[in-house]
Amino acid sequence: MSELIVAHRYAKSLLDFAIEKNAVEAVAKDMIDFAETCDASHELVLALKSPIIKHYTKLAILAKLFKDKFNPVTYGIFVIITNKNREKILPAVAKEFISMYTDYKGIQKATVTTASSLTADQKATVAKIVKDYTGKEVELIEQIDESLIGGFILKVGDQQIDDSIKRKLNDLKVSLAS
């Protein structure tokens, strides 16, 4: 079974259990912290994926790093997954859980890429457009890419609107070449 499917199942179970235990916010914070730790520490991810390191050693590493800091529900899923010899999927479980949590809370992530920083009014306008489109609260992520020259690229879920000057120049170049 693919790692993503297994991670999705564990994340779904964790979300359901966290809802049952009224610990959704705490577990979400823990999983965000864990995902950020994995992103920052490539060594931790390598240790979790290593076939050479024994499972009880990996659990000891997780206990040392997270047992006292994380909610028992969160740490419990680490123990369950590690005892089933699937600790290599923990980073994927965290990412899946975060995605499911945002869906559960009715939050839509949107990424807007522009050539320069947006003003507060522009951010509010983009967030309102996305909210009207999706019907969800919006978490707007802003990125700067000076190569766009002007305009923007808006990504919402798996959809993208590219209204950048760079794309328009490329379209013009293609049309003139043909």
Side-chain angles (χ1 to χ4, degrees):
M1 198 177 309
S2 109
E3 182 178 303
L4 191 57
I5 293 170
V6 175
H8 181 81
R9 289 182 179 174
Y10 278 113
K12 174 77 173 114
S13 298
L14 178 59
L15 180 61
D16 291 344
F17 190 60
I19 291 168
E20 182 181 314
K21 294 293 184 183
N22 293 322
V24 177
E25 299 302 324
V27 172
K29 182 187 174 308
D30 293 344
M31 294 308 272
I32 290 168
D33 289 347
F34 180 73
E36 288 173 353
T37 302
C38 289
D39 289 342
S41 175
H42 188 63
E43 293 82 11
L44 175 61
V45 176
L46 289 176
L48 291 173
K49 290 183 177 187
S50 174
I52 297 170
I53 300 173
K54 301 290 182 210
H55 301 290
Y56 60 85
T57 306
K58 294 176 187 180
L59 187 57
I61 292 168
L62 291 170
K64 183 114 175 136
L65 293 173
F66 303 112
K67 186 174 184 178
D68 295 334
K69 297 177 183 109
F70 282 5
N71 186 291
V73 173
T74 309
Y75 183 70
I77 198 75
F78 290 179
V79 172
I80 291 167
I81 291 172
T82 303
N83 286 339
K84 293 190 176 280
N85 300 334
R86 290 184 161 169
E87 57 280 334
K88 71 180 181 182
I89 68 163
L90 280 171
V93 171
K95 289 188 186 335
E96 278 295 307
F97 180 87
I98 294 165
S99 175
M100 289 179 178
Y101 172 75
T102 57
D103 286 345
Y104 170 76
K105 294 298 279 186
I107 299 170
Q108 177 64 56
K109 288 188 177 185
T111 304
V112 63
T113 306
T114 57
S116 60
S117 293
L118 295 175
T119 65
D121 289 342
Q122 290 171 325
K123 288 179 188 177
T125 301
V126 171
K128 183 182 180 327
I129 290 168
V130 174
K131 182 177 181 178
D132 291 345
Y133 176 71
T134 63
K136 297 180 177 182
E137 290 300 314
V138 178
E139 180 182 325
L140 191 62
I141 301 163
E142 183 181 6
Q143 297 177 339
I144 307 295
D145 181 358
E146 293 175 358
S147 73
L148 295 180
I149 305 169
F152 65 91
I153 299 173
L154 178 63
K155 293 179 186 173
V156 180
D158 61 351
Q159 297 180 342
Q160 175 174 300
I161 299 169
D162 188 345
D163 196 33
S164 65
I165 302 294
K166 180 180 179 180
R167 184 198 48 88
K168 290 177 181 176
L169 288 173
N170 282 339
D171 291 350
L172 183 62
K173 179 181 172 183
V174 168
S175 70
L176 290 175
S178 61

